[in-house]
Amino acid sequence: LEFPKTTWDMSRDEVMKAWNLTEEDLADFEREDVIYIKGYELFGEKTESINFQFYDFGDEGAYELVQVFVTYPSDADMDHVGGDAESIW
């Protein structure tokens, strides 16, 4: 699956740039393997959170995007996002 503005091998810095994020936008900016943001619109609905997960496959400090969790509030219109689950990806 393709996730907006990203590719699966992007670094944390590349995802930050693609989403036009600064450290102040992050709910938790202490970790190298996570970008956690709250309240961004995605697929036509405001999210509770978007959690980008990174993994260092070579154990060399070169983290790559491997997973994205999106959580929508219970009152979100899931018809806009193509399903009726509260979380996708």
Side-chain angles (χ1 to χ4, degrees), residues 21-88:
L21 299 171
T22 66
E23 296 293 326
E24 290 79 31
D25 296 319
L26 308 183
D28 177 7
F29 56 87
E30 303 277 332
R31 296 178 54 180
E32 296 178 7
D33 62 340
V34 172
I35 294 175
Y36 186 76
I37 56 178
K38 293 183 176 183
Y40 281 76
E41 186 174 308
L42 183 65
F43 304 122
E45 282 293 312
K46 188 171 182 178
T47 65
E48 276 188 14
S49 64
I50 302 173
N51 184 338
F52 299 89
Q53 299 282 313
F54 300 83
Y55 186 75
D56 182 4
F57 289 98
D59 201 24
E60 300 170 355
Y63 290 89
E64 298 177 11
L65 180 64
V66 294
Q67 196 167 32
V68 181
F69 296 99
V70 179
T71 304
Y72 289 93
S74 59
D75 62 346
D77 182 355
M78 296 307 289
D79 289 336
H80 285 137
V81 295
D84 49 351
E86 290 182 14
S87 295
I88 60 174

